[in-house]
Amino acid sequence: MKKNRLLASLCLGFLMAGSLPAQDAVQAKECVILVHGMGRTYRSMENIEQVLLAQDYRVINVDYPSTEKPIETLAQNFVSSAVDECETGGSSAIHFVTHSLGGILVRYFLQDNSIAGLGKIVMLSPPNHGSEVADELVGWSPYLWLMGPPGQQLVTGTEGIVATLRPIPGQIGIITGNVSFDPWFSGLLPGEDDGKVTVASARLEEMQDFLVVDSGHSFIMNNDRVISQILSFLKSGYFDRAD
């Protein structure tokens, strides 16, 4: 009986050892953190999430109260926890796909935090140099009530948070739109814009690639071409100009 139990234990050990590489392969998936924009929820990024899951990425779709706390607090509390989740899972690389304010949260987080295995960062319509809309509405009670502290922080001047941000690491691709469905805001924006953010404000000096598409700000994350370009950048570090 003892011999039988020993043989069974050895067989079980071999079976478990044989299963470890498969488990390691699951844990080694590349992780993509999705960070939605101001006034939205994780649901706004679900189309991107489903496409990424179908491509065998591990996806962390962050939900955060975008109008309730300052950008500094949101970045440290929510971006940080998502990164921890990717790292705990042993992901081979950690990427970001962000919309609007989400890009500013990631930039702020990377000011003083490093990520082992930091991969690519795709930003959709980020107000990287602030928003003239915020310039116009800052201090107005209804705007403060609707957009909270982050809305006050996104002004374009030296008092705005984006003016304090240094270049960040990682391969950065930025997609923004040039179609506006918000004429009341476009009148405040100089040059091409997507109804909320100018094309010029979306740019970053350290970006790897930049693409302008026929889309408005609010639903750029649901644009099929945009989602295809996200996949292209995550795989190659460049957008597909033939698309």
Side-chain angles (χ1 to χ4, degrees), residues 38-54:
M38 186 184 294
R40 311 299 289 272
T41 73
Y42 74 97
R43 293 188 182 279
S44 68
M45 304 294 277
E46 282 185 333
N47 284 355
I48 297 174
E49 179 182 10
Q50 293 306 311
V51 171
L52 291 173
L53 288 172

Side-chain angles (χ1 to χ4, degrees), residues 6-221:
L6 178 59
L7 182 59
S9 297
L10 288 172
C11 288
L12 180 60
F14 281 124
L15 287 171
M16 291 179 65
S19 70
L20 287 177
Q23 180 64 25
D24 288 345
V26 170
Q27 291 184 339
K29 284 183 179 181
E30 296 181 35
C31 190
V32 184
I33 298 172
L34 307 181
V35 191
H36 64 77
M38 186 184 294
R40 311 299 289 272
T41 73
Y42 74 97
R43 293 188 182 279
S44 68
M45 304 294 277
E46 282 185 333
N47 284 355
I48 297 174
E49 179 182 10
Q50 293 306 311
V51 171
L52 291 173
L53 288 172
Q55 292 292 315
D56 209 31
Y57 288 100
R58 185 179 178 210
V59 182
I60 309 298
N61 192 353
V62 178
D63 199 25
Y64 69 98
S66 61
T67 62
E68 296 180 12
K69 303 289 183 181
I71 288 170
E72 300 92 328
T73 303
L74 295 173
Q76 292 298 344
N77 289 353
F78 294 93
V79 177
S80 178
S81 62
V83 171
D84 288 345
E85 191 171 346
C86 286
E87 291 178 338
T88 300
S91 298
S92 58
I94 298 176
H95 310 291
F96 291 92
V97 177
T98 69
H99 176 229
S100 194
L101 174 65
I104 307 305
L105 264 60
V106 171
R107 287 180 64 199
Y108 185 88
F109 177 80
L110 290 173
Q111 296 298 295
D112 298 305
N113 296 278
S114 61
I115 299 175
L118 176 63
K120 301 176 182 72
I121 302 169
V122 182
M123 298 181 180
L124 308 180
S125 300
N128 278 323
H129 298 276
S131 169
E132 289 83 1
V133 173
D135 291 346
E136 186 72 20
L137 300 179
V138 67
W140 188 43
S141 296
Y143 178 67
L144 176 59
W145 178 72
L146 284 171
M147 296 300 155
Q152 311 299 304
Q153 294 178 285
L154 288 178
V155 293
T156 62
T158 55
E159 67 275 21
I161 194 168
V162 294
T164 70
L165 301 180
R166 305 181 302 277
I168 59 173
Q171 291 178 277
I172 302 168
I174 297 173
I175 306 175
T176 196
N178 61 0
V179 175
S180 173
F181 298 101
D182 301 291
W184 46 90
F185 288 145
S186 287
L188 304 173
L189 301 170
E192 281 190 299
D193 68 85
D194 65 0
K196 298 286 197 317
V197 175
T198 64
V199 171
S201 184
R203 292 179 174 273
L204 276 180
E205 184 177 347
E206 66 265 35
M207 65 187 179
Q208 182 97 3
D209 206 351
F210 185 76
L211 185 66
V212 180
V213 298
D214 296 330
S215 179
H217 184 90
S218 297
F219 299 103
I220 190 170
M221 77 294 286

